[in-house]
Amino acid sequence: MKKYSLIILVIGVLMSAFLSGCSGGDKKGLEKVKMGISGSDSDVWKYIAKKAEKEGIDLEIVEFSDYVRPNQALSDGDIDANAFQTISYFNSFKKEHKLDLAPIATTVIAPMGVYSKKYKNIKDIPFGSTIALPNEATNMGRALLLLQSAGLIKLEKNFDGNGDLKKVVENKKHLKLKPVVAGQTPRVLPDVAASIINNGVAVDAGMNPKKDSIFLESKTAKPYINIIATRTEDKNKKSLKKIAKIYQSKDTAKKIKEIYKGATIPTFVPLSEIGE
């Protein structure tokens, strides 16, 4: 009886080891890297994680539900890098919170758009209409620049990118600009002529920025290119440079296009071109 029990125990141990191997649970010898993301980028990063494993890196994806904690977690050492923010937001956030962080690569631009349930062309928005826009300073500034590029308003000379309605110096259609919480910008669509919505918020609301917006930000809007960031002391770390190189590969660019169907655009430019 003891003999049979021993055989069963051995078989159980062997099966457990086999299943563990099949599940990919054994990643001995790989360098662990934790990457913080926020929003709808998980499919892209799962793809990159598979490629990173072949480069000797166990890339763990840590998802956040807001735009504050990923930078704090990075500064605190809870994650090794993050990829969720524009260079404009990054520079503003690290200055405000006195964080010693640095960008290591550009990734994509997720164009902000103007959306409407009432008008198909931004030029059709009538005199005196209400337009909703995000109320957070960086995103409001981005929204105001978008309205200026559409020809609806003019901003003060040397506009610094920080949102403030007082910086609008010309508004020929007397548009009423209504700041709302970014997450509410899709919900107010029935009540306004148009709403300016962040890319990720629009996607989460079931919209395709390329197809559903009536005016879309240009991919050359350099302050709004997204980045991979890390602690300044780690910016030359080999594993992070490998991950950046994998992200900026032709294969990854193709994957991004497949997943987002043009709503998010791979934008691999040198950091020097975006002011870093």
Side-chain angles (χ1 to χ4, degrees):
M1 196 74 178
K2 288 182 179 178
K3 182 179 178 182
Y4 288 120
S5 297
L6 182 61
I7 291 169
I8 291 168
L9 179 62
V10 170
I11 290 171
V13 170
L14 289 173
M15 285 295 292
S16 177
F18 173 75
L19 290 172
S20 176
C22 288
S23 67
D26 184 13
K27 293 188 177 180
K28 261 186 175 179
L30 299 185
E31 183 178 354
K32 185 83 169 181
V33 173
K34 290 185 177 182
M35 177 67 66
I37 68 168
S38 180
S40 55
D41 293 338
S42 60
D43 287 343
V44 173
W45 280 102
K46 284 174 186 175
Y47 175 78
I48 291 168
K50 287 181 181 178
K51 295 187 76 175
E53 195 168 335
K54 295 175 184 177
E55 297 286 335
I57 300 167
D58 175 14
L59 184 60
E60 180 184 344
I61 310 305
V62 182
E63 296 190 43
F64 294 88
S65 59
D66 63 76
Y67 286 177
V68 175
R69 288 188 300 139
N71 279 329
Q72 293 290 1
L74 178 57
S75 181
D76 294 342
D78 297 329
I79 55 177
D80 302 296
N82 66 38
F84 75 99
Q85 62 195 322
T86 66
I87 188 67
S88 176
Y89 178 84
F90 171 77
N91 285 335
S92 175
F93 190 96
K94 74 172 184 176
K95 183 178 179 181
E96 181 183 350
H97 297 274
K98 297 179 174 60
L99 303 180
D100 193 14
L101 307 178
I104 59 170
T106 54
T107 56
V108 297
I109 189 164
M112 178 179 271
V114 182
Y115 297 78
S116 177
K117 286 188 175 293
K118 300 171 183 175
Y119 306 100
K120 293 185 178 180
N121 192 310
I122 197 162
K123 293 178 181 178
D124 296 334
I125 292 175
F127 186 95
S129 296
T130 299
I131 296 179
L133 69 168
N135 66 356
E136 182 271 322
T138 304
N139 283 319
M140 187 193 292
R142 186 176 182 178
L144 291 173
L145 283 169
L146 187 60
L147 288 176
Q148 179 172 258
S149 65
L152 293 181
I153 63 169
K154 279 189 180 179
L155 298 167
E156 65 182 14
K157 193 176 180 181
N158 300 320
F159 177 65
D160 61 4
N162 288 312
D164 184 341
L165 299 184
K166 293 177 183 176
K167 295 178 181 179
V168 177
V169 295
E170 187 176 299
N171 181 359
K172 288 183 178 179
K173 284 192 171 184
H174 292 272
L175 300 170
K176 297 167 188 171
L177 305 181
K178 181 181 179 181
V180 300
V181 175
Q184 299 295 319
T185 48
R187 296 179 187 177
V188 299
L189 272 170
D191 306 316
V192 295
S195 184
I196 302 174
I197 307 176
N198 286 78
N199 188 286
V201 176
V203 171
D204 288 344
M207 293 182 279
N208 182 306
K210 189 176 181 181
K211 294 179 181 178
D212 298 325
S213 65
I214 62 171
F215 190 79
L216 196 62
E217 189 174 58
S218 166
K219 68 177 182 179
T220 59
K222 290 179 180 177
Y224 308 118
I225 292 173
N226 284 34
I227 57 162
I228 299 172
T230 188
R231 291 178 291 280
T232 301
E233 65 192 60
D234 293 334
K235 68 179 183 179
N236 293 316
K237 202 171 181 180
K238 287 183 180 179
S239 57
L240 296 179
K241 285 193 167 186
K242 282 182 182 178
I243 291 168
K245 188 175 180 180
I246 291 168
Y247 198 107
Q248 292 188 337
S249 68
K250 289 181 180 179
D251 288 350
T252 302
K254 184 179 178 182
K255 191 70 176 177
I256 291 167
K257 290 172 185 175
E258 285 176 4
I259 291 171
Y260 296 110
K261 297 176 173 41
T264 296
I265 306 163
T267 311
F268 308 150
V269 301
L271 290 170
S272 58
E273 289 191 18
I274 57 173
E276 285 292 328

